[in-house]
Amino acid sequence: MRVAFVGKGGAGKSSLAGTFARLLARTGQRVLALDSDPMPGLAFSLGVGVTDAGLPDDAVEEYEERGRRRYRLRAGLTGPEAVDRYAVRGPDGVHFLQLGKARGPRWNNSRQHFGFQGVLDDLPGDGWSIVGDLPGGTRQPFMTWGRYARTFLVVVEPSTASVLSGRRLARLAEGSRRPRVLAVANKVREPDDGELIAAGTGLEVVGAVPMDRALADADRLGLPVVDAEPDAPAVAAVRSLVNALREREVSS
Amino acid sequence: MKIAVVGKGGSGKTTTSAVLARTFARHGHETLALDCDTNPNLGISLGLGEEATERLVTVRDAVDAGEEDHAVSPDDLVERFGAPAPDGVRLAVVSAIQNPEPGCP
C-alpha cells in the first residue's frame, strides 16, 4: 500500500503516520516511511533516534539543462538502491528516509529537494509499503511530495480551521490526477465529530482517533506512542485504520 | 509596530496573531492583520466567519485567473483584497495557493 498523510499543521499527521508505519510493519509488510516535511516530527513518532536522515550530498549530482543548473540522483544510483543505502532502520524494521531538515538560513536545499524527488519517482515496488508524512497545509501535496501515493489520508481535527483545510485539500485533489482521498478524524472528543468532519470536508471518514492524553505525553517526551503507551486508545484506533486500509487493498 | 508570528504547524501562530491584532485594535491602534499562510485561516480566528474567510481566498483566485488586475500598491492590495474584521482590524490574505503548478516546490 502507498499512503500519504496530509492536513493542516498540527492536525497530527506525523504522530499518526509514524504510529501507522510501525503497526503496518508489524503485520509483516516491509515499510518505507518517507518524511517530506522540513519540520521534524516523523522521526519521533517512529522512534528512529535520528532527526536528520536525508540523502548525503554525494548521492545527488548537478547537471545543466538549457543553461539551468539541475540536480538528479547520481549516475547509476536508483531509487531502491538509495533507500537500501541511505534509509535509516528503525524499530519493527521500518525504513526511514527524509527530505532533510533545514540547516540554517543560507542553506540551499535544491540538491536535497531534487534528489529526494528522484527517489519518489523510483520507489521500491514489490513487497514494499510506503507511508508518507507530508508538509502541513494545502501547498500542492498531490502533485509533488505525495505523487507516489495511491491513497491520501487527510488528518482532520474537529476545528473550523482544520475542517476548512480538509475541504481545500479535497478540492485540490479533484484538480489533480484524482487519487483516492479519505479523511481520518483526529483528537475526537464528541460522538458526532466524525459526522462534522465528513460533512465539512465532503470526504469519507475512514478512521477516528480519540483525543488521547497518551499521545500528547509521548509527543512531549519525543517518544513513539506505540512504545510509550502501547495500549492507549489512540494506538488501537490507528491499528483499526491500518486494518481498514489493508481490507480495502485486498478488495480493490 | 510590525510583528511577525512564526513557528511549527499547530503551535498556535494563527490564534496568537488574531488575539494580538484584536487586542492592539481595542487599544486604539490602527491594525492590519496579514495572513501569509498558503492555507489561510486567520479570518476564522479573527471572527470573520467561515464564509467571509473563504471568500477572501476566492478573490485571490480571480486575480490568478486574470479576471481582476493585480494590486498596484500595498494600500491597493489592502483596500481591494482586504476585509474588515471585528474591533476594526483590517485583514488581507497575501499568499493563498489554490491551483499550484507542478514543479514549484
Side-chain angles (χ1 to χ4, degrees):
Chain A
M1 101 174 49
R2 290 185 170 197
V3 297
F5 285 77
V6 296
K8 189 183 176 302
K13 293 176 294 299
S14 299
S15 301
L16 299 192
T19 310
F20 186 96
R22 292 278 304 269
L23 296 174
L24 181 61
R26 287 182 190 176
T27 69
Q29 295 279 310
R30 270 203 295 179
V31 176
L32 171 61
L34 292 171
D35 187 3
S36 42
D37 187 346
M39 296 293 176
L42 187 58
F44 298 112
S45 57
L46 280 172
V48 291
V50 205
T51 54
D52 195 347
L55 294 168
D57 282 352
D58 67 4
V60 184
E61 68 182 15
E62 203 178 301
Y63 68 104
E64 221 182 79
E65 192 182 70
R66 275 169 276 156
R68 291 184 67 186
R69 192 189 302 170
R70 305 263 188 192
Y71 299 93
R72 64 186 166 205
L73 288 179
R74 73 161 180 262
L77 182 66
T78 65
E81 282 164 3
V83 169
D84 186 52
R85 199 171 295 186
Y86 304 119
V88 173
R89 270 67 162 174
D92 294 322
V94 173
H95 286 55
F96 174 60
L97 191 69
Q98 264 184 338
L99 165 64
K101 298 306 171 195
R103 293 168 194 160
R106 291 181 191 280
W107 178 58
N108 178 354
N109 61 3
S110 301
R111 189 176 270 271
Q112 277 74 14
H113 264 250
F114 287 99
F116 192 78
Q117 293 193 34
V119 177
L120 298 187
D121 286 333
D122 184 25
L123 288 167
D126 287 347
W128 282 88
S129 278
I130 314 288
V131 178
D133 183 22
L134 268 58
T138 49
R139 211 167 168 185
Q140 50 179 331
F142 302 103
M143 287 178 284
T144 54
W145 299 120
R147 60 194 180 222
Y148 53 84
R150 295 196 197 104
T151 305
F152 286 86
L153 295 175
V154 185
V155 181
V156 186
E157 51 183 313
S159 77
T160 303
S162 195
V163 169
L164 193 55
S165 303
R167 193 193 309 160
R168 288 174 185 157
L169 282 163
R171 205 162 58 207
L172 274 173
E174 279 176 21
S176 60
R177 50 187 175 77
R178 293 187 172 272
R180 182 163 64 175
V181 184
L182 302 164
V184 176
N186 192 24
K187 305 180 200 174
V188 166
R189 279 166 302 191
E190 305 297 334
D192 61 348
D193 278 347
E195 285 161 47
L196 181 139
I197 286 165
T201 60
L203 295 170
E204 180 192 344
V205 178
V206 68
V209 182
M211 177 69 114
D212 189 344
R213 180 74 198 250
L215 206 59
D217 287 346
D219 278 350
R220 191 162 185 268
L221 299 168
L223 292 173
V225 70
V226 283
D227 296 331
E229 299 254 13
D231 300 322
V235 175
V238 176
R239 190 175 292 116
S240 302
L241 178 65
V242 169
N243 292 337
L245 289 178
R246 290 188 75 208
E247 277 165 28
R248 279 166 191 254
E249 290 280 306
V250 174
S251 62
S252 66
Chain B
M1 173 162 48
K2 293 178 183 173
I3 299 171
V5 180
V6 298
K8 193 182 179 309
S11 58
K13 295 180 291 295
T14 304
T15 308
T16 304
S17 307
V19 175
L20 282 175
R22 289 198 46 179
T23 306
F24 288 135
R26 282 184 189 182
H27 282 83
H29 297 279
E30 209 184 351
T31 306
L32 171 64
L34 287 178
D35 196 341
C36 304
D37 196 328
T38 52
N39 179 28
N41 294 309
L42 183 56
I44 288 168
S45 297
L46 281 170
L48 207 61
E50 207 177 315
E51 214 169 291
T53 301
E54 277 298 72
R55 202 182 50 77
L56 277 173
V57 178
T58 317
V59 172
R60 176 69 208 219
D61 267 351
V63 178
D64 291 342
E67 290 156 18
E68 275 199 61
D69 293 330
H70 283 278
V72 294
S73 67
D75 286 343
D76 184 34
L77 181 141
V78 170
E79 171 63 29
R80 286 201 293 133
F81 303 125
D87 294 327
V89 172
R90 186 86 190 162
L91 167 69
V93 175
V94 180
S95 59
I97 293 184
Q98 286 298 295
N99 293 299
E101 293 294 319
C104 136

